[in-house]
């Protein structure tokens, strides 16, 4: 009891109650915003007066009225503080546009304003039909995502059905709603007692729920509930604003991306137009296939290969600075050959390019080049990664331009081939054409008919002789050489002075294109054009003999086959085999089993007029070694020195020397 209250009590007991003094004291307390304990002390002092004292009851009522007035003032002050806090919260929430941060701020504000232990905010998920807690503030051990509320259960169900706030002082034992066992288990673990929830309403729809809870039984005042509802309303507006802002930002970003895509598309279209103009300009001014490929490679920033119908490279180009290696490793029979063939089949069916394969980051895109009634070839593009659609279209248009060039080249080649064919026919046909036109036509191809000529015929197995001739012309790269397909055989005519290098040049080309699937015969020089038809017929017979003898992978001179053509023209291969076995079979078998060189030694002996000393010098052997080998031959074939028998053995050895055998490689030329 304070001094003023004690004095009032003593004065009242001594002289009786003084109403004016007590009223003045109460007004002073109200003016000083004294705590409730001061009014309680005044009331206790009056209640301690004797019951029969005058004005006691009135004075007690006066104190109680003062206490009620003070409580109302406290309530007003509390409301003012609450409204001020709500206003500050509204200002704070309105300034936030990041939705996750906004939800955290709402939960923190609600918990702070209501002095609660826990707070969480749930937002409606249309897909699951549940309210999922996105944020929580307070000592919640569970992840917010696990705190889901179904529409018909718990406080959420009451708030949703009434669209009004709901408060319970003891959630776990409140039977006014249907409990959710899973949510009850979470609340039991958290020790939750009192819960109050308010709806977040926007556009007449409940978009979320705001909850606060305490770990003791608490009855929330109407003011607390009102504050929570006001905060929920502000939260609904803020959430909608944040979503609207996010949508606006998303729309702006989408618009920016769309604009960027449109600008990029416009650039691609412009690049495609410029590329088309460049290709058309190159085509119009008659650019070569190599120039065209280089331009396409630079446009598409990669490597370009142009293939013929047999998938052999006829042109290539690489953009400056491009470091890919896949184009250099291209092999029609390599590990990616089947993938390229499959892509070209798809390209022919669809009329578009197709990806063949990808290796070490490089993509190979292929397109078939169609011209006239058939396939002219193909174009392969190698680059790092695939291209956008417009760039693919540019590649496909470039293949069309390349197709025009190939078709033009094919027509030029066909014209040239027709002229060459006419020239060759006029030379080898029994009914030769007029000398003057033939001579003029030969001069156009660098062939001088006044000089001695050589004729070469080549058979190439299953290979198309027309395409072989087309590839052989640039592949051999010999001036003054005329060649073309005649009746399924490659016919080559050149000056006799160039004939020495012809077998080697054709052999280099044939090994790349044919392996060993070919055979050829080269004539001796002929000076009179009238002898060409007879020579051609003789070489055709020689080719037939080579086929019967099983010769392949080489071009031999006509003089090497002259004797054998006469001897074996009517023989089949089995007959030739029987002749070899009968003549030199024991010698060949001895060499095969013991690794000796009796056959080569005996052939050199015959070629050197059966002189042992000369033979030893030719083979770089001691003469005694030669005599020892001849003695071994004597043991194997007793009558080999007989003149008739020696001729037969010599012929057989010459056949063996040019490679007529199935179980060993051709013998080296002597």
């Amino acid at each position: 009891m304070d001094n003023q209250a004690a004095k009032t009590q003593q004065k009242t007991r001594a002289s009786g109650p003084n109403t004016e003094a007590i009223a003045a004291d109460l007004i002073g307390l109200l003016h000083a915003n004294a705590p409730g304990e001061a009014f309680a002390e005044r009331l206790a002092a009056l209640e301690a007066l004797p019951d029969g004292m005058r004005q006691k009851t009135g004075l007690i009522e006066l104190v109680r009225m003062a206490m009620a007035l003070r409580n109302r003032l406290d309530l007003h002050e509390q409301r003012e503080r609450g409204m001020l806090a709500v206003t500050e919260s509204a200002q704070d929430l309105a300034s936030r546009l990041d939705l996750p941060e906004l939800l955290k701020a709402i939960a923190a504000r609600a918990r702070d304003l209501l002095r609660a232990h826990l707070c969480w905010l749930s937002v409606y998920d249309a897909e699951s039909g549940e309210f999922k807690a996105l944020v929580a503030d307070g000592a919640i051990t569970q992840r917010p995502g696990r705190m889901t509320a179904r529409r018909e259960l718990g406080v959420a169900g009451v708030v949703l059905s009434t669209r009004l706030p709901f408060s319970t002082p003891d959630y776990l034992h409140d039977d006014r709603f249907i409990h959710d066992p899973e949510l009850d288990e979470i609340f039991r673990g958290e020790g939750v007692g009192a819960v109050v929830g308010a709806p977040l309403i926007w556009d007449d729809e409940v978009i979320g729920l705001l909850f606060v809870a305490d770990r003791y039984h608490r009855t929330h005042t109407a003011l607390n509930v009102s504050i929570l509802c006001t905060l929920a309303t502000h939260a609904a507006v803020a959430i909608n604003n944040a979503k609207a802002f996010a949508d606006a930002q998303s729309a702006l970003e989408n618009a920016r991306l769309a604009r960027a895509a449109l600008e990029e598309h416009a650039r691609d279209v412009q690049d495609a137009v410029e590329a088309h103009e460049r290709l058309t300009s190159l085509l119009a001014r008659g650019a070569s296939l190599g120039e065209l490929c280089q331009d396409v490679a630079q446009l598409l920033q990669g490597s370009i290969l142009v293939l013929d119908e047999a998938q052999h490279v006829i042109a290539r180009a690489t953009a400056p600075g491009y470091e890919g290696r896949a184009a250099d490793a291209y092999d029609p029979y390599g590990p990616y050959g089947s993938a390229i063939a499959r892509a070209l089949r798809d390209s022919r069916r669809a009329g578009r390019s197709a990806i063949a394969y990808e290796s070490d980051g490089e993509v190979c895109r292929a397109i078939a080049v169609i011209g006239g009634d058939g396939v002219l070839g193909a174009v392969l593009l190698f680059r790092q990664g695939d291209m956008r659609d417009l760039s693919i279209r540019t590649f496909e248009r470039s293949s069309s331009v390349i197709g025009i060039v190939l078709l033009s080249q094919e027509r030029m080649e066909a014209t040239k081939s027709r002229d060459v064919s006419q020239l060759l026919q006029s030379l080898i046909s029994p009914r030769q054409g007029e000398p003057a036109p033939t001579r003029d036509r030969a001069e156009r191809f660098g062939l001088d008919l006044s000089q001695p000529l050589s004729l070469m015929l080549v058979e190439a197995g299953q290979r198309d002789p027309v395409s072989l001739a087309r590839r052989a012309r640039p592949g051999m790269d010999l001036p003054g050489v005329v060649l073309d397909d005649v009746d399924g055989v490659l016919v080559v005519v050149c000056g006799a002075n160039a004939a020495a290098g012809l077998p080697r040049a054709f052999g280099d080309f044939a090994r790349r294109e044919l392996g060993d699937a070919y055979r050829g015969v080269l004539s001796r020089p002929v000076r009179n054009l009238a002898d060409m038809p007879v020579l051609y017929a003789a070489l055709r017979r020689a080719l037939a003999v080579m086929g019967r003898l099983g010769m392949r992978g080489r071009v031999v001179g006509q003089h090497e086959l002259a004797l054998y053509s006469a001897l074996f023209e009517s023989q089949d291969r089995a007959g030739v085999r029987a002749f070899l076995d009968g003549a030199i079979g024991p010698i060949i078998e001895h060499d095969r089993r013991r690794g000796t060189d009796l056959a080569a030694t005996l052939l050199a002996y015959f070629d050197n007029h059966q002189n042992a000393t000369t033979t030893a010098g030719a083979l770089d052997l001691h003469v005694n070694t030669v005599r020892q080998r001849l003695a071994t031959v004597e043991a194997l074939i007793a009558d080999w020195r007989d003149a008739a028998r020696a001729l037969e053995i010599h012929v057989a050895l010459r056949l063996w020397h040019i490679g007529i055998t199935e179980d060993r490689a051709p013998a080296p030329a002597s």
Side-chain angles (χ1 to χ4, degrees):
M1 182 179 300
D2 60 17
N3 293 333
Q4 185 62 33
K7 291 178 180 179
T8 301
Q9 186 176 15
Q10 291 175 0
K11 188 182 293 184
T12 301
R13 287 178 178 174
S15 59
N18 187 336
T19 303
E20 292 180 1
I22 292 175
D25 181 41
L26 293 174
I27 291 173
L29 291 175
L30 290 172
H31 179 71
N33 196 21
E37 290 80 1
F39 290 91
E41 290 174 356
R42 301 309 189 269
L43 181 60
L46 291 174
E47 287 178 344
L49 293 175
D51 292 338
M53 184 173 288
R54 182 172 52 88
Q55 297 179 351
K56 175 181 177 180
T57 302
L59 292 174
I60 290 175
E61 185 63 27
L62 182 62
V63 174
R64 287 177 176 171
M65 289 173 62
M67 293 178 69
L69 179 59
R70 187 203 178 280
N71 289 337
R72 283 197 294 273
L73 292 174
D74 285 345
L75 182 59
H76 284 303
E77 185 178 355
Q78 184 180 359
R79 286 179 178 174
E80 288 178 3
R81 288 199 304 270
M83 290 302 101
L84 181 60
V86 168
T87 301
E88 292 175 350
S89 297
Q91 293 174 347
D92 181 47
L93 296 178
S95 65
R96 297 175 184 265
L97 293 174
D98 181 72
L99 188 57
E101 292 298 322
L102 174 62
L103 297 180
K104 292 179 182 178
I106 291 171
R109 283 286 184 177
R111 178 169 172 252
D112 183 60
L113 288 176
L114 271 70
R115 300 293 190 269
H117 291 141
L118 312 171
C119 179
W120 65 95
L121 189 148
S122 301
V123 175
Y124 183 66
D125 183 5
E127 292 184 2
S128 62
E130 296 177 334
F131 284 87
K132 291 186 176 180
L134 299 184
V135 295
D137 191 73
I140 295 179
T141 58
Q142 299 290 340
R143 289 187 301 106
R146 289 192 56 194
M147 298 175 61
T148 60
R150 294 166 55 186
R151 296 181 63 90
E152 70 279 6
L153 300 179
V155 174
V158 178
V159 174
L160 282 174
S161 61
T162 62
R163 303 167 66 84
L164 296 172
F166 181 83
S167 177
T168 173
D170 188 2
Y171 176 89
L172 293 175
H173 299 94
D174 197 329
D175 57 3
R176 290 178 294 169
F177 49 82
I178 303 174
H179 283 259
D180 183 340
E182 185 175 351
L183 197 57
D184 283 3
E185 185 64 28
I186 294 175
F187 283 1
R188 190 173 291 108
E190 289 289 339
V192 170
V195 175
V196 58
L200 277 66
I201 300 176
W202 178 261
D203 199 17
D204 205 33
E205 292 289 336
V206 178
I207 63 172
L209 299 171
L210 183 60
F211 295 97
V212 292
D214 293 280
R215 291 191 175 87
Y216 61 92
H217 294 181
R218 176 182 178 185
T219 300
H220 284 277
T221 64
L223 177 60
N224 286 349
V225 175
S226 175
I227 291 174
L228 188 65
C229 289
T230 303
L231 186 60
T233 301
H234 292 164
V237 174
I239 289 174
N240 184 73
N241 289 342
K243 287 183 177 179
F245 178 76
D247 292 342
Q249 289 293 100
S250 178
L252 287 174
E253 180 64 16
N254 291 336
R256 187 189 67 78
L257 294 175
R259 179 179 177 180
L262 185 61
E263 290 176 349
E264 186 175 22
H265 181 73
R267 287 194 297 271
D268 287 344
V269 170
Q270 182 63 28
D271 291 344
V273 171
E274 292 177 358
H276 182 70
E277 291 177 351
R278 287 172 61 181
L279 294 175
T280 305
S281 175
L282 286 171
L283 187 63
R285 66 180 177 83
S288 67
L289 184 59
E291 291 175 321
L292 193 60
C293 289
Q294 186 61 51
D295 204 67
V296 174
Q298 191 165 350
L299 276 173
L300 301 177
Q301 289 299 298
S303 292
I304 290 286
L305 295 183
V306 180
L307 313 180
D308 63 8
E309 66 276 14
Q311 296 190 20
H312 293 281
V313 178
I314 57 177
R316 65 172 66 233
T318 299
Y322 183 69
E323 298 180 353
R325 295 290 179 265
D328 295 335
Y330 169 77
D331 181 358
Y333 310 109
Y336 300 111
S338 59
I340 292 174
R342 183 170 55 253
L344 291 176
R345 287 195 300 270
D346 295 341
S347 173
R348 288 194 296 271
R349 283 196 301 266
R352 298 287 307 275
S353 63
I355 292 179
Y357 66 91
E358 182 176 355
S359 175
D360 296 331
E362 279 191 275
V363 174
C364 173
R365 180 173 283 275
I367 186 168
V369 179
I370 310 296
D373 298 327
V375 177
L376 298 175
V379 182
L380 304 183
L381 169 64
F382 299 86
R383 70 189 306 276
Q384 296 291 336
D386 202 12
M387 303 174 291
R388 294 190 296 271
D389 187 63
L390 280 173
S391 297
I392 293 174
R393 292 288 187 180
T394 297
F395 170 60
E396 292 167 353
R397 277 194 290 270
S398 70
S399 70
S400 299
V401 175
I402 290 173
I404 294 173
V405 175
L406 290 179
L407 189 60
S408 175
Q409 288 184 349
E410 186 179 70
R411 289 175 178 172
M412 293 173 61
E413 187 69 25
T415 301
K416 181 178 180 181
S417 177
R418 184 168 59 250
D419 293 343
V420 169
S421 179
Q422 291 174 355
L423 172 61
L424 292 177
Q425 289 289 352
S426 67
L427 291 175
I428 66 177
S429 174
R431 301 177 61 181
Q432 290 180 325
E434 294 294 327
T438 301
R439 187 177 298 106
D440 292 341
R441 188 178 289 119
E443 287 178 357
R444 290 203 303 269
F445 295 106
L447 189 63
D448 186 0
L449 298 185
S450 64
Q451 298 297 319
L453 302 177
S454 289
L455 179 65
M456 185 175 75
L457 303 187
V458 178
E459 283 183 339
Q462 302 298 318
R463 182 66 181 270
D464 177 24
V466 177
S467 65
L468 180 63
R470 186 166 60 245
R471 290 190 59 77
R473 290 189 188 101
M476 292 173 59
D477 193 25
L478 288 176
V481 174
V482 178
L483 61 91
D484 198 18
D485 160 57
V486 177
D487 297 332
V489 173
L490 188 66
V491 177
V492 185
V493 177
C494 67
N497 57 348
L502 190 58
R504 179 182 296 275
F506 183 82
D508 293 340
F509 163 76
R511 279 189 292 275
R512 296 192 304 268
E513 298 287 331
L514 305 170
D516 64 347
Y518 72 96
R519 62 178 64 91
V521 58
L522 177 65
S523 76
R524 60 178 63 91
V526 58
R527 296 181 179 277
N528 192 348
L529 291 182
D531 296 336
M532 289 289 286
V534 176
L535 181 61
Y536 171 73
L539 294 186
R540 290 297 295 249
R541 291 193 300 272
L543 276 180
V545 171
M546 291 180 70
R548 294 188 185 97
L549 298 178
M551 297 179 66
R552 57 188 295 169
R554 62 186 303 190
V555 175
V556 299
Q558 180 186 7
H559 63 281
E560 295 184 70
L561 286 174
L563 173 64
Y564 314 118
S565 296
L567 292 175
F568 302 107
E569 188 171 349
S570 61
Q571 293 282 343
D572 59 11
R573 192 168 185 181
V576 175
R577 181 77 264 178
F579 169 73
L580 288 174
D581 289 342
I584 59 173
I587 297 175
I588 299 300
E589 179 64 19
H590 184 278
D591 284 347
R592 187 186 65 79
R593 285 188 293 103
R594 302 198 177 185
T596 56
D597 290 317
L598 295 182
T601 303
L602 187 57
L603 175 59
Y605 181 72
F606 281 128
D607 288 345
N608 286 282
H609 310 291
Q610 300 188 24
N611 186 306
T613 302
T614 306
T615 301
L619 297 179
D620 195 22
L621 297 173
H622 194 276
V623 66
N624 290 337
T625 302
V626 173
R627 291 193 178 101
Q628 289 172 2
R629 292 182 181 181
L630 293 176
T632 304
V633 170
E634 182 75 29
L636 295 172
I637 305 175
D639 56 349
W640 70 274
R641 294 182 184 275
D642 180 77
R645 182 64 169 152
L647 177 61
E648 180 182 347
I649 292 173
H650 195 180
V651 170
L653 288 171
R654 294 304 302 169
L655 283 175
W656 167 83
H657 171 70
I658 59 176
I660 312 307
T661 178
E662 295 179 350
D663 55 3
R664 60 167 290 168
S670 61

